[in-house]
Amino acid sequence: MRLIADPADMGIITPEVRIRMEKLAAKRAEEGAHVVDEGPAPITYANALRIPMVAQYAFAFGFFKLTNYVLFFWLPYFLGKHFDPVTANLIASLYSVGMMPGGIIVGYVSDLFGGRRASVIGTFMGALFVFLFIFSRKSEELTAIPLLIMLGIMGILVGG
């Protein structure tokens, strides 16, 4: 199984693909129609994992997604035990709503720090761990308003 090596194979024309196609057209005009565009060679998934930091990012992203989906699916069940169904659904949905501006906020903060996305995401995940720790210790004691605020912030942190 191989990764798709060239966006042009999927009909996606990026500026790099456009430049390569223009060079190919110029070469065909010089040498004739028998010149073939081979594009970049595909790599295997194993070779992709050998690229520096790809395996580490994939591993971290897997745990990040695990946290996201655990909260997403478990939260309504947990809140249903402590609140009436309307309040539980409102609190759980605020986590999902908080995820929407999260990507924009992380992108903006990343731009402020010169595009250092890994550093910004790491900082946001560190802040998320603090909120998860508080949630694990105090979730049964908190009322609806503090849970709304906390889960909204957690949604923003996870959404980034």
Side-chain angles (χ1 to χ4, degrees), residues 98-110 124 155-160:
M99 291 177 69
M100 291 179 213
I104 297 167
I105 292 169
V106 167
Y108 180 75
V109 173
S110 176
F124 275 52
I156 289 171
L157 294 172
V158 168

Side-chain angles (χ1 to χ4, degrees), residues 3-79:
L3 297 170
I4 297 170
D6 192 359
D9 292 343
M10 300 304 296
I12 300 169
I13 307 300
T14 64
E16 293 83 8
V17 170
R18 186 170 287 117
I19 290 169
R20 195 179 80 234
M21 292 171 90
E22 290 169 0
K23 286 181 181 178
L24 179 66
K27 199 173 201 181
R28 281 184 179 158
E30 282 180 14
E31 299 176 20
H34 66 277
V35 177
V36 178
D37 179 23
E38 296 177 5
I43 63 172
T44 64
Y45 284 100
N47 288 339
L49 290 174
R50 289 186 189 110
I51 297 171
M53 298 302 294
V54 168
Q56 291 88 336
Y57 276 110
F59 189 70
F61 189 72
F63 276 103
F64 166 72
K65 282 304 196 184
L66 175 69
T67 303
N68 179 29
Y69 286 115
V70 164
L71 280 171
F72 185 75
F73 290 114
W74 173 78
L75 202 54
Y77 168 76
F78 170 77
L79 294 172

